[in-house]
């Protein structure tokens, strides 16, 4: 098997051959350019992101700095917003649905290493895709680990470490991240604790 085939099959692989290093370097250079744009260079930022990501829908906004391993393995739906310091360890695919909101200092990692030091010294890594569903909000400082799927309409609380799949339509938080409660119609009435929405909102 090639290293790309091993990666796709969930086996240990290295990224030092088959053009993978060059692909990663390309992504890092584009991210470097993106991070050095001026705040008012909206069109330039959009052009760079379209080159960087594997695919990107309309009405997407990313605040620098942005960190990637490849960039090309990231696929983003429409109406996407990511605040500053998003880190995407995308040695394999990271997929975002539509209307996803990412707070500052979020890390999404598809890769890991063997736990035993003798198995780790050869540099092998594994990678499992991460999928973020439509209408998900990931709050500040959350970490999403390999193989996780977050269901549509869910919210991941600040500082959470997400090690397992999260179902649709729930508030989940903690380390490890666990479901706290479902999101209900009552959440249409209050926007923060017991503060009500105005009639106009």
């Amino acid at each position: 098997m090639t290293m790309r085939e091993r990666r796709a099959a969930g086996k240990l692989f290295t990224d030092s051959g088959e053009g993978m290093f060059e692909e990663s370097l390309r992504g890092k250079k584009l991210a470097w350019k993106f991070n050095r744009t001026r705040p008012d260079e909206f069109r330039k930022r959009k052009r760079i992101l379209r080159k960087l990501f594997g695919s990107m829908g309309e009405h997407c906004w990313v605040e620098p700095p942005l960190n990637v391993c490849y960039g090309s393995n990231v696929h983003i739906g429409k109406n996407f917003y990511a605040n500053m310091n998003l880190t995407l360890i995308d040695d394999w695919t990271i997929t975002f649905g539509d209307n996803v909101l990412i707070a500052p200092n979020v890390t999404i990692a598809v890769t890991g290493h063997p736990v035993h030091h003798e198995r780790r010294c050869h540099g092998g890594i594994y990678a499992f895709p991460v999928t973020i569903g439509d209408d998900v909000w990931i709050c500040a400082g959350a970490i999403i680990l390999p193989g996780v799927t977050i269901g549509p309409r869910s919210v991941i609380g600040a500082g959470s470490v997400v090690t397992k799949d999260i179902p649709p339509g729930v508030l989940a938080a903690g380390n490890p991240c666990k479901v706290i409660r479902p999101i209900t119609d009552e959440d249409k009435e209050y926007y923060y604790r017991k503060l009500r929405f105005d009639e106009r909102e």
Side-chain angles (χ1 to χ4, degrees), residues 142-155:
I143 301 171
I144 315 298
L145 295 183
V148 164
T149 294
I150 298 175
R153 306 179 310 284
S154 285
V155 176

PDB file of all heavy atoms in Angstrom, residues 142-155:
ATOM      1  N   ALA A 142     -11.858  24.984  22.584  1.00  0.00           N
ATOM      2  CA  ALA A 142     -12.211  23.570  22.452  1.00  0.00           C
ATOM      3  C   ALA A 142     -11.188  22.830  21.599  1.00  0.00           C
ATOM      4  O   ALA A 142     -10.561  23.408  20.708  1.00  0.00           O
ATOM      5  CB  ALA A 142     -13.604  23.419  21.849  1.00  0.00           C
ATOM      6  N   ILE A 143     -11.028  21.553  21.870  1.00  0.00           N
ATOM      7  CA  ILE A 143     -10.131  20.683  21.116  1.00  0.00           C
ATOM      8  C   ILE A 143     -10.943  19.501  20.621  1.00  0.00           C
ATOM      9  O   ILE A 143     -11.581  18.800  21.422  1.00  0.00           O
ATOM     10  CB  ILE A 143      -8.959  20.200  21.984  1.00  0.00           C
ATOM     11  CG1 ILE A 143      -8.144  21.394  22.512  1.00  0.00           C
ATOM     12  CG2 ILE A 143      -8.068  19.246  21.209  1.00  0.00           C
ATOM     13  CD1 ILE A 143      -7.108  21.020  23.554  1.00  0.00           C
ATOM     14  N   ILE A 144     -10.925  19.277  19.310  1.00  0.00           N
ATOM     15  CA  ILE A 144     -11.659  18.169  18.690  1.00  0.00           C
ATOM     16  C   ILE A 144     -10.630  17.133  18.240  1.00  0.00           C
ATOM     17  O   ILE A 144      -9.724  17.452  17.458  1.00  0.00           O
ATOM     18  CB  ILE A 144     -12.493  18.650  17.483  1.00  0.00           C
ATOM     19  CG1 ILE A 144     -13.251  19.949  17.791  1.00  0.00           C
ATOM     20  CG2 ILE A 144     -13.428  17.540  17.010  1.00  0.00           C
ATOM     21  CD1 ILE A 144     -14.242  19.859  18.892  1.00  0.00           C
ATOM     22  N   LEU A 145     -10.763  15.906  18.687  1.00  0.00           N
ATOM     23  CA  LEU A 145      -9.757  14.869  18.442  1.00  0.00           C
ATOM     24  C   LEU A 145     -10.134  13.956  17.269  1.00  0.00           C
ATOM     25  O   LEU A 145     -11.251  14.032  16.745  1.00  0.00           O
ATOM     26  CB  LEU A 145      -9.549  14.074  19.730  1.00  0.00           C
ATOM     27  CG  LEU A 145      -8.953  14.884  20.889  1.00  0.00           C
ATOM     28  CD1 LEU A 145      -8.722  14.002  22.108  1.00  0.00           C
ATOM     29  CD2 LEU A 145      -7.659  15.572  20.481  1.00  0.00           C
ATOM     30  N   PRO A 146      -9.197  13.100  16.820  1.00  0.00           N
ATOM     31  CA  PRO A 146      -9.400  12.306  15.594  1.00  0.00           C
ATOM     32  C   PRO A 146     -10.673  11.467  15.604  1.00  0.00           C
ATOM     33  O   PRO A 146     -11.049  10.878  16.621  1.00  0.00           O
ATOM     34  CB  PRO A 146      -8.154  11.407  15.561  1.00  0.00           C
ATOM     35  CG  PRO A 146      -7.111  12.168  16.293  1.00  0.00           C
ATOM     36  CD  PRO A 146      -7.853  12.890  17.379  1.00  0.00           C
ATOM     37  N   GLY A 147     -11.319  11.406  14.441  1.00  0.00           N
ATOM     38  CA  GLY A 147     -12.455  10.526  14.223  1.00  0.00           C
ATOM     39  C   GLY A 147     -13.781  11.019  14.741  1.00  0.00           C
ATOM     40  O   GLY A 147     -14.793  10.323  14.625  1.00  0.00           O
ATOM     41  N   VAL A 148     -13.828  12.226  15.296  1.00  0.00           N
ATOM     42  CA  VAL A 148     -15.047  12.739  15.927  1.00  0.00           C
ATOM     43  C   VAL A 148     -16.005  13.304  14.884  1.00  0.00           C
ATOM     44  O   VAL A 148     -15.596  13.982  13.940  1.00  0.00           O
ATOM     45  CB  VAL A 148     -14.695  13.821  16.969  1.00  0.00           C
ATOM     46  CG1 VAL A 148     -15.919  14.641  17.356  1.00  0.00           C
ATOM     47  CG2 VAL A 148     -14.063  13.185  18.196  1.00  0.00           C
ATOM     48  N   THR A 149     -17.283  13.045  15.077  1.00  0.00           N
ATOM     49  CA  THR A 149     -18.360  13.697  14.336  1.00  0.00           C
ATOM     50  C   THR A 149     -19.230  14.470  15.327  1.00  0.00           C
ATOM     51  O   THR A 149     -19.657  13.903  16.340  1.00  0.00           O
ATOM     52  CB  THR A 149     -19.230  12.674  13.582  1.00  0.00           C
ATOM     53  OG1 THR A 149     -18.443  12.054  12.558  1.00  0.00           O
ATOM     54  CG2 THR A 149     -20.436  13.347  12.938  1.00  0.00           C
ATOM     55  N   ILE A 150     -19.460  15.747  15.040  1.00  0.00           N
ATOM     56  CA  ILE A 150     -20.356  16.559  15.860  1.00  0.00           C
ATOM     57  C   ILE A 150     -21.637  16.761  15.071  1.00  0.00           C
ATOM     58  O   ILE A 150     -21.618  17.291  13.955  1.00  0.00           O
ATOM     59  CB  ILE A 150     -19.709  17.902  16.230  1.00  0.00           C
ATOM     60  CG1 ILE A 150     -18.435  17.652  17.060  1.00  0.00           C
ATOM     61  CG2 ILE A 150     -20.693  18.788  16.997  1.00  0.00           C
ATOM     62  CD1 ILE A 150     -17.654  18.893  17.375  1.00  0.00           C
ATOM     63  N   GLY A 151     -22.739  16.331  15.635  1.00  0.00           N
ATOM     64  CA  GLY A 151     -24.011  16.368  14.937  1.00  0.00           C
ATOM     65  C   GLY A 151     -24.525  17.772  14.712  1.00  0.00           C
ATOM     66  O   GLY A 151     -24.149  18.722  15.422  1.00  0.00           O
ATOM     67  N   PRO A 152     -25.401  17.943  13.725  1.00  0.00           N
ATOM     68  CA  PRO A 152     -25.955  19.267  13.409  1.00  0.00           C
ATOM     69  C   PRO A 152     -26.621  19.925  14.613  1.00  0.00           C
ATOM     70  O   PRO A 152     -27.176  19.252  15.483  1.00  0.00           O
ATOM     71  CB  PRO A 152     -26.995  18.962  12.321  1.00  0.00           C
ATOM     72  CG  PRO A 152     -26.592  17.651  11.758  1.00  0.00           C
ATOM     73  CD  PRO A 152     -25.947  16.887  12.866  1.00  0.00           C
ATOM     74  N   ARG A 153     -26.505  21.266  14.678  1.00  0.00           N
ATOM     75  CA  ARG A 153     -27.201  22.130  15.640  1.00  0.00           C
ATOM     76  C   ARG A 153     -26.669  22.015  17.062  1.00  0.00           C
ATOM     77  O   ARG A 153     -27.255  22.561  17.985  1.00  0.00           O
ATOM     78  CB  ARG A 153     -28.721  21.860  15.627  1.00  0.00           C
ATOM     79  CG  ARG A 153     -29.377  21.962  14.264  1.00  0.00           C
ATOM     80  CD  ARG A 153     -30.863  21.650  14.317  1.00  0.00           C
ATOM     81  NE  ARG A 153     -31.161  20.406  15.002  1.00  0.00           N
ATOM     82  CZ  ARG A 153     -30.987  19.192  14.480  1.00  0.00           C
ATOM     83  NH1 ARG A 153     -30.527  19.053  13.237  1.00  0.00           N
ATOM     84  NH2 ARG A 153     -31.287  18.118  15.183  1.00  0.00           N
ATOM     85  N   SER A 154     -25.564  21.325  17.245  1.00  0.00           N
ATOM     86  CA  SER A 154     -25.022  21.176  18.593  1.00  0.00           C
ATOM     87  C   SER A 154     -24.053  22.302  18.932  1.00  0.00           C
ATOM     88  O   SER A 154     -23.519  22.976  18.045  1.00  0.00           O
ATOM     89  CB  SER A 154     -24.333  19.813  18.752  1.00  0.00           C
ATOM     90  OG  SER A 154     -25.305  18.795  18.858  1.00  0.00           O
ATOM     91  N   VAL A 155     -23.831  22.497  20.233  1.00  0.00           N
ATOM     92  CA  VAL A 155     -22.900  23.489  20.757  1.00  0.00           C
ATOM     93  C   VAL A 155     -21.876  22.772  21.630  1.00  0.00           C
ATOM     94  O   VAL A 155     -22.253  21.980  22.511  1.00  0.00           O
ATOM     95  CB  VAL A 155     -23.635  24.567  21.585  1.00  0.00           C
ATOM     96  CG1 VAL A 155     -22.638  25.534  22.219  1.00  0.00           C
ATOM     97  CG2 VAL A 155     -24.643  25.316  20.725  1.00  0.00           C
TER      98      VAL A 155
END
